[in-house]
Amino acid sequence: MKHSSFKLFEFIIVLIIVVAYVIEYCISDHFSKPGWLYIAIGTFVVLSVLLLVTEHIANKQNPQWKNLWRMPSSIVALLAAVAAVTIIIAAFFNISSGWYLFLLVLLRVSPDYYYAKKYELDTLHSVEELLQKYPEAKSKMRKTVLGE
């Protein structure tokens, strides 16, 4: 399986988790709490384990791309804004803010897939080869990966 396919699969899993959380939150009042809670927790555990296994396999098959990208400043700003909105919603409207955690994971996996496609990581074999073909990628990489 190609690296970009693993990253797309991770992205889809997190999207499913977000949608499942929203659905569970919206309809949870209509079902008996203990049974519905066990189903919701089971769903999140299975999907989370699937996400971790997928990420582990992707990192094992392509260790050169593990933790390669730093989080873009636009994503950091978006997370700060979402955190502020979450605090306001939780404080004034007494609504659960657990969805923020899923959004954080979604925003963490989305740049991985975007960069895997943009910089054709499926065809490259090393960070050096990536930097030779795409010198502008250096500004988006973590300093620890570059050895600086």
Side-chain angles (χ1 to χ4, degrees):
M1 194 173 200
K2 295 188 285 186
H3 182 70
S4 62
S5 299
F6 277 114
K7 293 303 171 183
L8 177 60
F9 190 56
E10 288 176 7
F11 186 74
I12 290 170
I13 291 169
V14 175
L15 276 177
I16 290 170
I17 291 173
V18 170
V19 169
Y21 181 81
V22 169
I23 290 170
E24 184 274 330
Y25 184 77
C26 291
I27 64 175
S28 64
D29 290 337
H30 303 291
F31 295 97
S32 65
K33 291 292 182 188
W36 184 252
L37 185 62
Y38 296 142
I39 291 171
I41 289 172
T43 302
F44 294 128
V45 167
V46 168
L47 289 172
S48 297
V49 167
L50 184 60
L51 178 66
L52 293 173
V53 167
T54 303
E55 188 170 16
H56 176 74
I57 292 171
N59 289 338
K60 190 173 183 178
Q61 284 189 356
N62 300 294
Q64 70 274 23
W65 309 134
K66 181 179 179 182
N67 295 325
L68 183 64
W69 309 110
R70 64 179 166 80
M71 192 173 282
S73 55
S74 58
I75 299 291
V76 173
L78 180 61
L79 286 174
V82 169
V85 168
T86 302
I87 291 169
I88 292 169
I89 288 173
F92 292 110
F93 300 107
N94 199 21
I95 296 176
S96 171
S97 58
W99 60 272
Y100 176 70
L101 299 174
F102 299 124
L103 183 64
L104 178 65
V105 174
L106 181 65
L107 291 174
R108 193 222 137 316
V109 299
S110 56
D112 289 346
Y113 175 66
Y114 172 75
Y115 291 138
K117 293 304 279 184
K118 180 178 180 180
Y119 295 120
E120 302 170 9
L121 297 185
D122 296 330
T123 61
L124 304 175
H125 303 291
S126 69
V127 175
E128 292 79 20
E129 191 177 347
L130 169 67
L131 290 174
Q132 286 176 352
K133 190 170 182 180
Y134 299 102
E136 72 277 5
K138 185 175 183 177
S139 66
K140 296 169 179 59
M141 297 168 101
R142 294 181 186 270
K143 291 187 186 292
T144 55
V145 173
L146 298 173
E148 295 176 357

